[in-house]
Amino acid sequence: MARSQHIDSLNIVMAASEAVPYVKTGGLADVAGALPVELVKLGHTVTLIVPRYRSFQTDGRSLRELGSIRVRTAQGLVDATLEEDLIPVGVAGRSVRVVAVRYDPYFDRAGLYQGPDGDFSDNLARFAFFSRAIVETLAFLGSRRREPISILHLHDWQTALAAVYLKTTAHDRTSVGDVRVLLTLHNVGYQGIFPGSQFFETGLPSDLFTPAGLEFYGSVNLLKGGILFADKVSTVSPTYAKEIMSPDGGFGLEGVLAGRRDGVVGIINGIDVDCWDPETDSHLAANYSRTDLSGKAVCKKALQLELGLPNRDVPLIGVIGRLTSQKGFDLLAEIIPELMAVGVQIAILGTGDRILEDRFQSLKEQYAQQIGVSLKFDEGRAHRIEAGADMLVMPSRYEPCGLTQLYSLRYGTVPIVRKTGGLADTVIPYRPSTALAGHATGFQFEGVSADSLLATILLTLKVYADRGVWASIQQAGMGVDCSWECSANRYVEVYRKLSGER
């Protein structure tokens, strides 16, 4: 279907503060790198705009100079260079064009957002500049290269001001005046909040620094500005779209979000199904498939050996992620003695709060025959835990989308998740009826408590003992379409609706 749509293809510009394969600190980079590729495969034209950081990785490719733009700042006009790269997408003659905005005074630093002493003090100026550069790049593409843009798709607070500029200071510029704006919120907990005294750095009129504008309890809130001025707002799961309109999930912006006439649309993220594929994954001791799971047992034995755990036929629980209370891993730490008593093994991979890191390390020393801990990021080991574990725990207090549970589904590693955000949307909970129908893909619990988590894990272990039922849950999960194609088609629906609202 997708490849026959070139006649009515869209010209989309996407902007993000990070994107793979160039630079990454979190899941935003995965989305910003993968979604453009899938959109191009669907027949659309996509340009991705990112800052040119010092740590920008080109994997041996050379970026070529595309041109230059003049960007207004609080200190006056400055010149920035646009550098171009092309990412082939596997469709003949098709590629994602990447435009890197180079302005070394702001981006030639060791970190993206932080230095050794914490957040950069000029982050408001840096990302106000980047947002203005996005608008100027749109004008460059639209006028000088005669490429009318259909949609500008912004991501998170670092680009949110671009929506404000387009509707205020740049609203009468013919080269960008018809562009429709979608803003995607990846985590409303991060809003780009700065002292009110820095509002001048935005270059916006003072009448926008009010409670009806970017003012937020005396501070400047960039995400709030984007929500108010974007034509449409999306977030990364349907349940999270509802949660952020409540006091518990909105972090103070619930009223602003609920005030949007058209509401907020939730679209689940996809994963790279070529990278995360148990049939071809080179990180694994053995490959396996939905129809032949025998290799998974080999992966389990190899993981036990790698972690220094005895090779026992006992349930092996995987834990991958940031070791923080937001991810609920304090709840897991609380119940580990009870889990040890029933004989399970646990494989933990991640970094996070020092207190939790120390606690898990202490537990590993106390239960050396049952717990393996790796307090670091290790991509290969993440793949091996996904393949070698029987089940994976994600007890997040909130989770906008989550990717780890999608990897688990793909690898036949049954997820145990709290019923929140994208975890609620992507895991069909076990009940005897859902298992009998072949629909159950995992286990969910609702309460934010160690007792709720323990009860659900114990239920999971009981079901695990019935290998026939367990295999049906594994196979149902492995049959879920976690690819970006489905998500990209949902975004195209939103783009087309926006384009029709001119």
Side-chain angles (χ1 to χ4, degrees), residues 363-398:
L363 287 165
K364 168 186 165 60
E365 293 168 3
Q366 184 177 355
Y367 301 104
Q369 297 296 298
Q370 291 176 268
I371 300 177
V373 175
S374 301
L375 298 176
K376 60 181 179 178
F377 175 76
D378 185 326
E379 181 75 15
R381 182 164 289 182
H383 283 245
R384 290 189 289 276
I385 291 175
E386 288 287 11
D390 296 299
M391 53 206 76
L392 185 132
V393 176
M394 292 184 70
S396 304
R397 283 176 164 82
Y398 75 94

Coordinates of all heavy atoms in Angstrom, one line a residue, residues 363-398:
L363 N 22.4 -6.8 47.7 CA 21.6 -8.0 47.5 C 22.3 -9.1 46.7 O 22.2 -10.3 47.0 CB 20.2 -7.6 46.9 CG 19.3 -6.9 47.8 CD1 18.2 -6.2 47.0 CD2 18.7 -7.8 48.9
K364 N 23.0 -8.7 45.7 CA 23.8 -9.7 44.9 C 24.8 -10.4 45.8 O 25.0 -11.6 45.7 CB 24.5 -8.9 43.8 CG 25.5 -9.8 43.0 CD 26.3 -9.0 42.0 CE 27.6 -9.7 41.6 NZ 27.3 -10.9 40.9
E365 N 25.5 -9.6 46.7 CA 26.5 -10.2 47.6 C 25.8 -11.2 48.6 O 26.4 -12.2 48.9 CB 27.2 -9.1 48.3 CG 28.1 -8.3 47.3 CD 28.7 -7.0 48.0 OE1 28.4 -6.8 49.2 OE2 29.3 -6.3 47.3
Q366 N 24.6 -10.8 49.0 CA 23.9 -11.6 49.9 C 23.3 -12.9 49.3 O 23.3 -14.0 49.9 CB 22.7 -10.8 50.5 CG 22.0 -11.5 51.6 CD 20.9 -10.7 52.2 OE1 20.8 -9.5 51.9 NE2 20.1 -11.3 53.1
Y367 N 22.9 -12.8 48.0 CA 22.3 -14.0 47.3 C 23.1 -14.2 46.0 O 22.6 -14.2 44.9 CB 20.9 -13.7 47.0 CG 20.0 -13.4 48.1 CD1 19.6 -12.1 48.4 CD2 19.5 -14.4 49.0 CE1 18.8 -11.8 49.5 CE2 18.7 -14.1 50.0 CZ 18.3 -12.8 50.3 OH 17.5 -12.5 51.4
A368 N 24.4 -14.5 46.2 CA 25.3 -14.6 45.1 C 24.9 -15.7 44.1 O 25.3 -15.7 42.9 CB 26.8 -14.9 45.6
Q369 N 24.2 -16.8 44.6 CA 23.8 -17.9 43.7 C 22.5 -17.6 43.0 O 22.1 -18.4 42.2 CB 23.7 -19.2 44.6 CG 25.0 -19.6 45.3 CD 26.0 -20.0 44.3 OE1 25.8 -21.0 43.5 NE2 27.1 -19.3 44.3
Q370 N 21.9 -16.5 43.3 CA 20.6 -16.3 42.7 C 20.5 -14.9 41.9 O 19.5 -14.7 41.2 CB 19.5 -16.3 43.7 CG 19.3 -17.7 44.3 CD 18.2 -17.7 45.4 OE1 18.6 -17.6 46.6 NE2 17.0 -17.9 45.1
I371 N 21.4 -14.0 42.2 CA 21.3 -12.7 41.6 C 22.6 -12.3 40.8 O 23.7 -12.4 41.4 CB 21.0 -11.6 42.6 CG1 19.7 -11.9 43.4 CG2 20.9 -10.2 42.0 CD1 19.4 -10.9 44.5
G372 N 22.4 -11.8 39.6 CA 23.5 -11.3 38.8 C 23.2 -9.8 38.6 O 22.1 -9.4 38.2
V373 N 24.2 -8.9 38.8 CA 24.0 -7.5 38.7 C 25.1 -6.9 37.8 O 26.3 -7.1 38.0 CB 24.0 -6.8 40.1 CG1 23.9 -5.3 39.9 CG2 22.8 -7.3 40.9
S374 N 24.7 -6.1 36.8 CA 25.6 -5.3 36.0 C 25.2 -3.8 36.1 O 24.2 -3.4 35.5 CB 25.5 -5.8 34.5 OG 25.9 -7.2 34.5
L375 N 26.0 -3.0 36.8 CA 25.6 -1.6 37.0 C 26.3 -0.8 35.9 O 27.2 0.0 36.1 CB 26.1 -1.2 38.4 CG 25.4 -1.9 39.5 CD1 25.9 -1.4 40.9 CD2 23.8 -1.7 39.5
K376 N 25.9 -1.0 34.7 CA 26.4 -0.3 33.5 C 25.5 -0.5 32.3 O 24.5 -1.3 32.4 CB 27.8 -0.9 33.1 CG 27.8 -2.3 32.8 CD 29.2 -2.8 32.4 CE 29.1 -4.3 32.1 NZ 30.5 -4.8 31.7
F377 N 25.7 0.3 31.3 CA 24.9 0.1 30.1 C 25.7 -0.9 29.2 O 26.9 -0.6 28.9 CB 24.7 1.4 29.3 CG 24.0 1.1 28.0 CD1 22.6 0.8 28.0 CD2 24.7 1.2 26.8 CE1 22.0 0.6 26.8 CE2 24.0 0.9 25.6 CZ 22.7 0.6 25.6
D378 N 25.1 -2.0 28.8 CA 25.8 -3.0 27.9 C 24.7 -3.5 26.9 O 23.9 -4.3 27.3 CB 26.3 -4.1 28.8 CG 27.1 -5.1 28.0 OD1 26.8 -5.4 26.8 OD2 28.1 -5.7 28.6
E379 N 24.8 -3.0 25.7 CA 23.8 -3.3 24.7 C 23.7 -4.8 24.4 O 22.6 -5.4 24.3 CB 24.1 -2.6 23.4 CG 23.1 -2.8 22.2 CD 21.8 -2.1 22.4 OE1 21.8 -1.1 23.3 OE2 20.9 -2.4 21.7
G380 N 24.9 -5.5 24.3 CA 24.9 -6.9 24.0 C 24.2 -7.7 25.2 O 23.5 -8.6 24.9
R381 N 24.6 -7.3 26.4 CA 24.0 -8.0 27.5 C 22.5 -7.8 27.6 O 21.7 -8.7 28.0 CB 24.6 -7.6 28.8 CG 24.1 -8.4 30.0 CD 25.0 -8.3 31.3 NE 26.2 -9.1 31.1 CZ 27.2 -9.2 32.0 NH1 27.1 -8.6 33.2 NH2 28.3 -9.9 31.7
A382 N 22.0 -6.6 27.2 CA 20.6 -6.3 27.2 C 19.9 -7.3 26.3 O 18.8 -7.8 26.6 CB 20.3 -4.9 26.8
H383 N 20.5 -7.5 25.1 CA 19.9 -8.5 24.2 C 19.9 -9.9 24.8 O 18.9 -10.7 24.7 CB 20.7 -8.5 22.9 CG 20.4 -7.4 22.0 ND1 19.8 -7.5 20.7 CD2 20.6 -6.0 22.1 CE1 19.7 -6.3 20.2 NE2 20.2 -5.4 21.0
R384 N 21.0 -10.2 25.5 CA 21.1 -11.6 26.0 C 20.2 -11.8 27.2 O 19.7 -12.9 27.4 CB 22.6 -11.9 26.4 CG 23.5 -12.0 25.2 CD 24.9 -12.5 25.6 NE 25.6 -11.5 26.3 CZ 26.3 -10.5 25.7 NH1 26.3 -10.4 24.4 NH2 27.0 -9.7 26.5
I385 N 19.9 -10.8 28.0 CA 18.9 -10.9 29.1 C 17.5 -11.0 28.5 O 16.7 -11.9 28.9 CB 19.0 -9.7 30.0 CG1 20.3 -9.8 30.8 CG2 17.8 -9.7 31.0 CD1 20.5 -8.6 31.7
E386 N 17.2 -10.3 27.4 CA 15.9 -10.4 26.8 C 15.7 -11.8 26.3 O 14.6 -12.3 26.3 CB 15.8 -9.4 25.6 CG 15.6 -7.9 26.0 CD 14.2 -7.6 26.6 OE1 13.5 -8.6 26.9 OE2 13.9 -6.4 26.8
A387 N 16.7 -12.4 25.8 CA 16.6 -13.8 25.2 C 16.7 -14.9 26.3 O 16.0 -15.9 26.2 CB 17.7 -14.0 24.2
G388 N 17.5 -14.7 27.3 CA 17.8 -15.7 28.3 C 16.8 -15.7 29.4 O 16.6 -16.8 30.1
A389 N 16.2 -14.6 29.7 CA 15.3 -14.6 30.9 C 13.9 -15.2 30.5 O 13.5 -15.3 29.3 CB 15.0 -13.2 31.3
D390 N 13.2 -15.7 31.5 CA 11.9 -16.3 31.3 C 10.8 -15.2 31.3 O 9.8 -15.3 30.6 CB 11.6 -17.3 32.3 CG 12.5 -18.5 32.3 OD1 12.5 -19.2 31.2 OD2 13.2 -18.8 33.3
M391 N 11.1 -14.2 32.2 CA 10.1 -13.1 32.3 C 10.9 -11.8 32.6 O 12.1 -11.9 33.0 CB 9.1 -13.4 33.4 CG 9.8 -13.8 34.7 SD 8.8 -14.9 35.8 CE 8.9 -16.5 35.0
L392 N 10.3 -10.7 32.4 CA 10.9 -9.4 32.7 C 10.0 -8.5 33.5 O 8.8 -8.4 33.2 CB 11.3 -8.8 31.3 CG 12.1 -7.5 31.5 CD1 13.4 -7.5 30.6 CD2 11.3 -6.3 31.2
V393 N 10.5 -7.8 34.5 CA 9.7 -7.0 35.4 C 9.9 -5.5 35.0 O 11.1 -5.0 34.9 CB 10.1 -7.2 36.8 CG1 9.4 -6.3 37.8 CG2 9.8 -8.7 37.2
M394 N 8.8 -4.8 34.9 CA 8.8 -3.4 34.7 C 7.7 -2.8 35.6 O 6.6 -2.6 35.2 CB 8.5 -3.0 33.2 CG 9.6 -3.4 32.3 SD 9.3 -2.8 30.6 CE 9.4 -1.0 30.7
P395 N 8.1 -2.4 36.8 CA 7.1 -2.0 37.8 C 6.9 -0.5 37.9 O 6.7 0.1 38.9 CB 7.6 -2.5 39.1 CG 9.1 -2.5 38.9 CD 9.4 -2.7 37.5
S396 N 7.0 0.2 36.7 CA 7.1 1.7 36.7 C 5.9 2.4 37.4 O 4.8 2.0 37.2 CB 7.2 2.1 35.2 OG 8.2 1.5 34.5
R397 N 6.2 3.4 38.1 CA 5.2 4.3 38.6 C 4.4 5.0 37.5 O 3.2 5.2 37.5 CB 5.7 5.3 39.6 CG 6.1 4.6 41.0 CD 6.7 5.6 41.9 NE 6.7 5.1 43.3 CZ 7.5 4.2 43.8 NH1 8.5 3.7 43.0 NH2 7.4 3.7 45.1
Y398 N 5.2 5.5 36.5 CA 4.6 5.9 35.3 C 5.5 5.6 34.1 O 6.8 5.5 34.3 CB 4.2 7.4 35.3 CG 5.4 8.4 35.2 CD1 5.7 8.9 33.9 CD2 6.1 8.8 36.3 CE1 6.8 9.8 33.8 CE2 7.1 9.7 36.2 CZ 7.5 10.2 35.0 OH 8.5 11.1 34.8

